[in-house]
Amino acid sequence: AQKVTQAQTEISVVEKEDVTLDCVYETRDTTYYLFWYKQPPSGELVFLIRRNSFDEQNEISGRYSWNFQKSTSSFNFTITASQVVDSAVYFCALKGTASKLTFGTGTRLQVTL
Amino acid sequence: NAGVTQTPKFQVLKTGQSMTLQCAQDMNHEYMSWYRQDPGMGLRLIHYSVGAGITDQGEVPNGYNVSRSTTEDFPLRLLSAAPSQTSVYFCASSYRSSGAYSYEQYFGPGTRLTVT
C-alpha cells in the first residue's frame, strides 16, 4: 500500500517570508511519480509539478522550488518570498505502478500582509 | 478546449434519493477518475477508468456506481444517498500511463453535494 503524509495541517506566514511544505511518502514500487497540486480558495485543483523516482534533481520554477530526496522519502515544496496569492491548500500525491493516485491530507497555507 | 467539466456545481439530496454527477472531458484522455474531498482527509479515489468500457474500484467505492460508454464521459451514480456522502466530488482525467511514464491529472471544478 502507498501512503502520503503531510504533517503540517496549517501554516501561517507574513508576506515575503519563505515557507517549506513537507511531504513524506511510502511505497514499495521502485518506479513511482510524485506530484504537487494547489487548491486556492476558489476550490479548483491546479497541477504544479510531477517528478519521477529516477530523477532526484531539484527543480525551480520562479518562486517555487522542490526538493526530492529518495533517502528520506521526502518531496518538499518551498515558496520563496511568499505572496498573498499563494494562500491555498497544497496537496502532495503519489502514483506507483498501479493507476491510482494517493493524496496527502493537504497543508493549508495562509499568507498575510 | 473546455478541459474537464462537471455538472451540477451544487446539489442537495434527501437521504435515499439517487442522482448522477456528470463529468466530461474534451482532451481525448483515456484515464478518468472520481474523487471525494472531505475535511482533513485529502482526496480519496472512488472509481476510475482506463478507457471506454473499463472501470475499476478505488479506495472508497461503496454506494457509488460508474460506467464509461464513451471516452469523453464518466458519470458517477449515487444509488441511495446517505448523509455520509456529503462531500465535494472531483472528476479528473489524464492520458493513460505509458510504460513507466505517468501523466498528470487534470481536475474538474468540483460538485458540492449535501445529503440531508
Side-chain angles (χ1 to χ4, degrees):
Chain A
Q2 52 189 39
K3 184 179 178 183
V4 176
T5 301
Q6 294 180 257
Q8 304 152 308
T9 305
E10 191 159 344
I11 301 175
S12 187
V13 299
V14 176
E15 204 176 39
K16 295 188 177 60
E17 284 185 10
D18 298 347
V19 59
T20 296
L21 310 183
D22 297 333
C23 173
V24 174
Y25 62 92
E26 295 175 31
T27 180
R28 291 181 180 173
D29 294 330
T30 55
T31 300
Y32 53 89
Y33 281 79
L34 295 159
F35 302 82
W36 276 94
Y37 283 85
K38 174 182 181 180
Q39 187 176 42
S42 51
E44 74 272 22
L45 283 147
V46 179
F47 165 75
L48 295 178
I49 190 172
R50 172 189 57 228
R51 173 66 73 216
N52 74 49
S53 52
F54 298 113
D55 183 1
E56 286 195 71
Q57 280 191 342
N58 291 335
E59 178 147 346
I60 298 175
S61 177
R63 296 183 297 107
Y64 294 172
S65 63
W66 291 268
N67 179 252
F68 176 31
Q69 291 196 342
K70 286 180 77 170
S71 60
T72 56
S73 297
S74 65
F75 186 43
N76 297 336
F77 173 30
T78 297
I79 301 175
T80 303
S82 60
Q83 299 177 1
V84 172
V85 293
D86 296 327
S87 296
V89 180
Y90 291 87
F91 291 98
C92 181
L94 166 69
K95 180 184 174 301
T97 52
S99 299
K100 305 174 186 181
L101 188 63
T102 300
F103 282 83
T105 51
T107 297
R108 181 178 299 277
L109 175 64
Q110 185 73 36
V111 182
T112 56
L113 293 172
Chain B
N1 284 354
V4 181
T5 58
Q6 292 182 237
T7 55
K9 283 192 184 310
F10 302 94
Q11 183 70 49
V12 179
L13 290 178
K14 292 189 185 323
T15 296
Q17 286 184 318
S18 63
M19 81 157 294
T20 299
L21 306 186
Q22 301 293 343
C23 174
Q25 52 88 14
D26 61 358
M27 298 175 281
N28 203 31
H29 285 168
E30 300 98 322
Y31 183 89
M32 295 185 74
S33 54
W34 278 101
Y35 296 85
R36 59 177 289 172
Q37 183 179 19
D38 301 296
M41 302 190 74
L43 282 85
R44 293 181 293 168
L45 182 65
I46 305 172
H47 285 285
Y48 66 97
S49 168
V50 296
I54 307 169
T55 64
D56 205 349
Q57 296 182 349
E59 184 184 351
V60 288
N62 292 343
Y64 307 95
N65 269 1
V66 292
S67 60
R68 184 96 179 269
S69 55
T70 67
T71 299
E72 294 78 19
D73 301 297
F74 191 43
L76 178 72
R77 281 182 287 278
L78 280 70
L79 309 172
S80 177
S84 61
Q85 293 179 304
T86 293
S87 188
V88 180
Y89 291 85
F90 287 97
C91 179
S93 75
S94 72
Y95 290 108
R96 187 171 177 175
S97 295
S98 173
Y101 191 79
S102 179
Y103 297 89
E104 67 271 20
Q105 293 191 29
Y106 293 88
F107 285 81
T111 294
R112 187 174 294 275
L113 175 68
T114 301
V115 183
T116 61

